[in-house]
Amino acid sequence: MVTVEQLRPSTPTDAAVWDIAATVCDPEIPVLTIEDLGILRAAHVAETGRVEVTITPTYSGCPAMDAIRDDVTIALGGAGYDDVAVRLVLAPAWTTDWMSDDGKAKLEEYGIAPPTGTAAAGPVRVGLSVKCPQCSSLNTRELTRFGSTSCKALYVCSDCKEPFDYFKVH
């Protein structure tokens, strides 16, 4: 698994672009940056001065990608970069393994159960329980496989009776 630290460019000009793009928040989960989610994959300043940023959607067809692309362009434009290209790449496919530990903690603080475990590389393991982000109970059940967005499932806690989103592992 490649970490954010390994993806962040080492050259100062590229790292500066990365750092600006990394401040952009996900419009569906505003407590997470695109760096927290692991969808920021590359940042580079070409010899021509053109800034190139690469992002990967959490799901193909994710409706937030257009807003994220625009927000990255606006953030970089505000920092003085006039020629910006934001590329959307589908391969390799995004996985929750790319999320930062800080991002997972932010999800839980926000009231969304973060993904647990790692993405399947073979047979899919069946999750037995999801911890409630409100009361930490494991006495929860899935209400629907798709929650407020396609990357989340809707659960309910049988102890505190609160519904909550679970950010699915994939």
Side-chain angles (χ1 to χ4, degrees):
M1 177 177 67
V2 178
T3 65
V4 169
E5 293 79 20
Q6 293 168 319
L7 287 175
R8 186 176 180 273
S10 58
T11 63
T13 54
D14 293 348
V17 168
W18 175 282
D19 292 343
I20 294 164
T23 66
V24 171
C25 291
D26 182 306
E28 295 175 336
I29 310 170
V31 297
L32 294 181
T33 67
I34 61 174
E35 182 182 58
D36 291 331
L37 272 171
I39 66 173
L40 177 59
R41 305 307 294 165
H44 175 68
V45 180
E47 288 182 21
T48 62
R50 181 176 202 153
V51 171
E52 300 165 352
V53 174
T54 303
I55 56 177
T56 298
T58 56
Y59 282 85
S60 60
C62 174
M65 294 315 292
D66 288 337
I68 292 170
R69 181 186 329 218
D70 293 346
D71 290 348
V72 168
T73 302
I74 290 166
L76 289 165
Y81 297 98
D82 297 325
D83 188 10
V84 177
V86 180
R87 282 184 343 125
L88 183 73
V89 296
L90 300 177
W94 178 85
T95 168
T96 51
D97 293 345
W98 293 358
M99 289 182 72
S100 69
D101 289 339
D102 188 44
K104 291 175 184 178
K106 288 177 184 179
L107 274 178
E108 189 162 18
E109 289 170 18
Y110 191 61
I112 298 173
T116 56
T118 57
V124 176
R125 292 184 215 128
V126 176
L128 299 178
S129 61
V130 171
K131 184 172 80 170
C132 174
Q134 309 301 323
C135 71
S136 298
S137 171
L138 292 174
N139 189 13
T140 63
R141 66 181 172 85
E142 184 179 81
L143 290 177
T144 179
R145 186 70 183 136
F146 295 98
S148 59
T149 63
S150 58
C151 57
K152 294 181 281 187
L154 182 60
Y155 274 70
V156 66
C157 178
S158 298
D159 289 338
C160 72
K161 309 296 186 219
E162 289 292 323
F164 63 92
D165 280 334
Y166 167 62
F167 204 100
K168 297 183 280 191
V169 175
H170 84 273

